[in-house]
Amino acid sequence: MKTTVTINLGGFIFHIDDDAYQILHSYLLAIERQFANETDSKEIISDIESRLAELFTETLGNKKDVISKDDVAKVISIMGEPHDFSVEDEQDNQSKRKNMTTYQTT
C-alpha cells in the first residue's frame, strides 16, 4: 500500500504517490530557482506547470488514477531538466527568427 497526495498542478487536480510527489516537488523547486531572477518568473513557472499537467493528463488517460514515479520520470524526460530551460536561449531564438524574417522580406 502506498500513500498518495492530492495536488493542484496547472489548475488540474491529480493524485500522486508520495515518492513521486517528492521527485516532482524537487523538480519544481529547481525550476523556481532557475527562474528566480527573471522578471516574468511566475508566468514562466505557470506555463511549465500547465505543460506538466497536460503531459500527466495524457500519461494517465483513462487507464489509471494515480501518478507514479515512472510517470514523473517520463514527463521530466520530455520536459528536460531545469538547467535545460534558459530564457537567454529563447531570447536568442526569437532574435534569430526576427532577423530571418527581416532578411526574407527584404
Side-chain angles (χ1 to χ4, degrees), residues 46-62:
S46 176
D47 290 345
I48 292 170
E49 286 183 1
S50 293
R51 181 62 181 141
L52 288 168
E54 288 174 15
L55 292 171
F56 283 131
T57 299
E58 290 173 12
T59 299
L60 291 175
N62 292 328

Side-chain angles (χ1 to χ4, degrees), residues 6-64:
T6 302
I7 61 170
N8 181 331
L9 185 66
F12 293 91
I13 302 295
F14 294 99
H15 301 284
I16 183 169
D17 286 341
D18 189 43
D19 49 353
Y21 171 80
Q22 296 302 323
I23 296 167
L24 180 62
H25 183 63
S26 295
Y27 180 73
L28 290 171
L29 287 175
I31 288 172
E32 286 179 14
R33 282 191 301 274
Q34 179 74 20
F35 294 107
N37 296 326
E38 301 299 325
T39 56
D40 52 353
S41 65
K42 288 187 183 208
E43 183 179 342
I44 293 168
I45 293 167
S46 176
D47 290 345
I48 292 170
E49 286 183 1
S50 293
R51 181 62 181 141
L52 288 168
E54 288 174 15
L55 292 171
F56 283 131
T57 299
E58 290 173 12
T59 299
L60 291 175
N62 292 328
K63 60 185 178 206
K64 49 191 250 184

Side-chain angles (χ1 to χ4, degrees), residues 97-106:
R97 282 183 286 220
K98 183 178 178 181
N99 288 339
M100 288 179 73
T101 304
T102 304
Y103 178 73
Q104 291 172 351
T105 59
T106 55

